[in-house]
Amino acid sequence: LMPVRFSRFVGPAGMGLAALMVGAATLPPVIADSGGLWEVSRSATGANAERVCVPQATVLAQWEHRRAQCTRVVVSSSPTGAVIHYTCPGGGFGHSRIRVLTPRTLRIETQGISEGYPFNYVLHARRAGTCQPQA
């Protein structure tokens, strides 16, 4: 009974938000709670890493569109990772699989469409600490 009332309350447009809220509650802590400074590289060795400050590690799932205001939905999650789909203004979108390797290390397989072209690559992210306040 409760799901029927809930779906009537939020309506079809709100179901995506409901899925995000439910999914976010089950994310592994290293993904859900690990905002801060991350070093992100296409190399497992960390070569040529880009340092980025994020409020939550789920933002790393949309690396290709990191400067866009995208909507993320947690498709599935387990204690060792998550699958996140996101859509961005202008038609860009992506699908990322985040795997927790250690409490400070993630492997992100991401693919989608950016500026009308497909992308598909693997990222390695290592938490480097907390973000410094902006001066």
Side-chain angles (χ1 to χ4, degrees):
L1 217 185
M2 183 65 128
V4 173
R5 287 185 190 158
F6 182 70
S7 63
R8 283 185 187 161
F9 176 72
V10 297
M15 292 308 287
L17 178 59
L20 177 62
M21 293 184 329
V22 170
T26 61
L27 284 171
V30 70
I31 297 173
D33 302 329
S34 59
L37 183 63
W38 286 82
E39 294 176 343
V40 182
S41 173
R42 291 196 186 199
S43 168
T45 65
N48 300 316
E50 184 174 336
R51 294 171 70 101
V52 61
C53 186
V54 297
Q56 186 180 54
T58 55
V59 174
L60 300 174
Q62 68 177 61
W63 186 255
E64 182 72 19
H65 299 92
R66 61 189 169 274
R67 290 173 183 83
Q69 294 293 325
C70 304
T71 302
R72 292 182 300 277
V73 175
V74 177
V75 176
S76 66
S77 66
S78 73
T80 59
V83 175
I84 298 172
H85 180 80
Y86 66 90
T87 56
C88 308
F93 65 89
H95 184 85
S96 298
R97 181 178 309 275
I98 301 176
R99 194 170 87 207
V100 177
L101 302 177
T102 73
R104 299 175 62 87
T105 309
L106 305 174
R107 176 185 164 95
I108 304 163
E109 300 168 15
T110 186
Q111 63 181 349
I113 299 293
S114 179
E115 297 180 7
Y117 295 99
F119 66 89
N120 183 2
Y121 52 85
V122 175
L123 296 169
H124 303 273
R126 183 181 70 84
R127 190 166 193 286
T130 58
C131 297
Q132 298 300 317
Q134 298 292 324

